[in-house]
Amino acid sequence: MTRSVLSPPVLFLPFTHLTRHHLDTLLAFFGSFACFPGTSDFRDQPGLQKLLDQGKISPIFLSPREPNVVDQKARQYLEWARIHRGNEVNLRALLKDNPYFTSDTAVTAIKSQIKGGKSPALEPNASLERDLLFLKMAHLCDEQNESIDLELKRLDKSRDNLLLTLRGLDLPGREEKEGIPAESRDFGEMMTHERIFAWSRCIAVKGGFKNQGELPVFVTTSPAVFDYLESNCTDIVNALDIDGIKVHENECENQSEWQHHFYEGLMTAIQGHGNLENDLPEVTDTCERFGQIKMSLFSGDNINRIFNLTGKQVPVCLIKLK
């Protein structure tokens, strides 16, 4: 049975590459979510296609022709980089001519600017193709970093098991679940400003900010992204901050009902009509997973400019698994 798309939808930002950790976290809290994968289909990603068929993902796809030029330019850049690897002179020239691929807008600097009464410098409007190219490069970077992290975790686990075996000790009774790796670093820390602006401009062009007139609930798993958005606000309403929510294990028979009540409570908290922490249904079965959620309502000219919205209070959730 497929799941219906939430209304208003939960929209994941600002990553186009969905890591296994992203998926695990999002689907622990929500029955379905929307995302911008930066592709026209999931033909080369059978795992995501399966989730799409199950109604768990609602992707905002590109048109069939849009990825072609971007993919071609990305391949050309990667080939150029491979040929000139180790040539620092050409690398410096590339970065000088393409400041879009650099960042001097760290969260701390933006906070300082706002406290001083100055608005942070915002990127000028860029073409959709350029934004898609940036997101493609970020996607490839995240994909490679995830692969490296997973391999390092596998090596660490093999080493630990070998040491236990050599010492004549039994292996732990409860093994780490396959396919649910803990995230060791926040990919959103890298070029946070550029990621968010490129992502938001693409979403705006694709009409993903509004579904039948409803503003989505923006959700991220990146503390760096949440901090950046918070730093660009002139007014913040802290609607929710729960450090220890007990959530259901994947495929638990009680998960769907819990997620339904959780989403309803979240909407109530956004509207300012209740306290989600008190309204959450209790998890009384054998599930052992815990999560964390922080939700704020952001407003102000800077946040509206980031999301290409006018005069809107923007709900943003940070979710994590422990």
Side-chain angles (χ1 to χ4, degrees):
M1 178 183 295
T2 60
R3 306 188 191 191
S4 60
V5 177
L6 300 176
S7 182
V10 169
L11 180 56
F12 178 57
L13 84 156
F15 305 99
T16 59
H17 172 60
L18 293 168
T19 69
R20 293 160 69 183
H21 183 78
H22 290 158
L23 291 171
D24 185 49
T25 304
L26 287 161
L27 294 176
F29 285 91
F30 302 103
S32 65
F33 67 93
C35 64
F36 178 65
T39 61
S40 58
D41 54 50
F42 285 148
R43 182 170 47 190
D44 298 327
Q45 303 177 78
L48 294 181
Q49 181 61 49
K50 180 179 179 181
L51 293 175
L52 174 60
D53 294 340
Q54 293 172 341
K56 296 181 180 181
I57 294 184
S58 178
I60 301 169
F61 280 135
L62 298 172
S63 67
R65 293 184 178 182
E66 283 176 316
N68 294 337
V69 174
V70 173
D71 290 346
Q72 182 181 12
K73 288 190 174 183
R75 286 194 297 269
Q76 290 172 347
Y77 171 79
L78 291 173
E79 180 61 18
W80 183 94
R82 185 188 66 80
I83 294 173
H84 293 84
R85 183 175 297 166
N87 190 332
E88 291 79 4
V89 174
N90 282 339
L91 179 60
R92 283 197 294 269
L94 173 69
L95 295 178
K96 180 180 179 181
D97 294 337
N98 294 274
Y100 193 75
F101 287 95
T102 64
S103 176
D104 59 356
T105 51
V107 171
T108 53
I110 292 170
K111 287 182 178 180
S112 177
Q113 290 174 337
I114 292 176
K115 289 180 180 179
K118 300 178 182 179
S119 297
L122 300 177
E123 293 286 349
N125 289 332
S127 68
L128 176 63
E129 183 181 299
R130 189 170 186 177
D131 288 329
L132 288 174
L133 178 59
F134 174 83
L135 291 177
K136 178 67 175 182
M137 301 305 294
H139 181 114
L140 293 173
C141 181
D142 293 344
E143 191 174 43
Q144 291 174 2
N145 284 334
E146 181 191 21
S147 178
I148 292 170
D149 287 350
L150 290 173
E151 183 60 30
L152 289 175
K153 286 183 175 66
R154 280 192 287 267
L155 290 174
D156 286 342
K157 185 175 181 180
S158 297
R159 180 200 60 192
D160 292 342
N161 289 344
L162 177 60
L163 289 175
L164 288 172
T165 301
L166 292 174
R167 293 168 60 187
L169 300 176
D170 293 332
L171 297 179
R174 191 174 188 270
E175 297 289 335
E176 181 181 355
K177 295 192 174 183
E178 182 66 26
I180 307 179
E183 192 167 56
S184 58
R185 54 176 160 168
D186 181 0
F187 293 163
E189 291 179 348
M190 182 170 53
M191 302 186 75
T192 313
H193 170 87
E194 289 81 0
R195 281 180 186 264
I196 294 173
F197 270 82
W199 180 89
S200 65
R201 282 190 295 251
C202 290
I203 289 289
V205 170
K206 292 301 173 182
F209 281 139
K210 291 188 177 181
N211 177 32
Q212 298 179 348
E214 295 178 306
L215 190 67
V217 179
F218 298 95
V219 176
T220 187
T221 57
S222 167
V225 168
F226 190 89
D227 288 346
Y228 178 90
L229 296 174
E230 186 176 56
S231 299
N232 273 279
C233 289
T234 54
D235 186 42
I236 303 171
V237 177
N238 295 317
L240 186 66
D241 191 352
I242 306 177
D243 187 56
I245 300 178
K246 192 172 183 182
V247 299
H248 288 278
E249 308 282 353
N250 187 33
E251 302 303 331
C252 172
E253 62 179 7
N254 298 318
Q255 185 182 56
S256 180
E257 182 180 0
W258 183 90
Q259 289 174 335
H260 174 74
H261 289 300
F262 174 81
Y263 178 78
E264 285 188 337
L266 190 65
M267 293 302 102
T268 300
I270 289 175
Q271 296 163 7
H273 300 318
N275 188 325
L276 176 60
E277 187 168 5
N278 296 332
D279 296 338
L280 275 179
E282 293 185 7
V283 178
T284 57
D285 50 28
T286 58
C287 295
E288 299 181 4
R289 307 197 74 180
F290 281 87
Q292 176 182 355
I293 181 169
K294 182 177 182 180
M295 183 182 70
S296 295
L297 306 177
F298 298 143
S299 58
D301 291 342
N302 288 335
I303 200 75
N304 288 154
R305 193 175 297 117
I306 288 172
F307 287 102
N308 294 282
L309 300 169
T310 303
K312 295 289 186 179
Q313 195 175 49
V314 182
V316 180
C317 290
L318 171 65
I319 57 173
K320 299 171 69 176
L321 286 181
K322 296 185 173 183

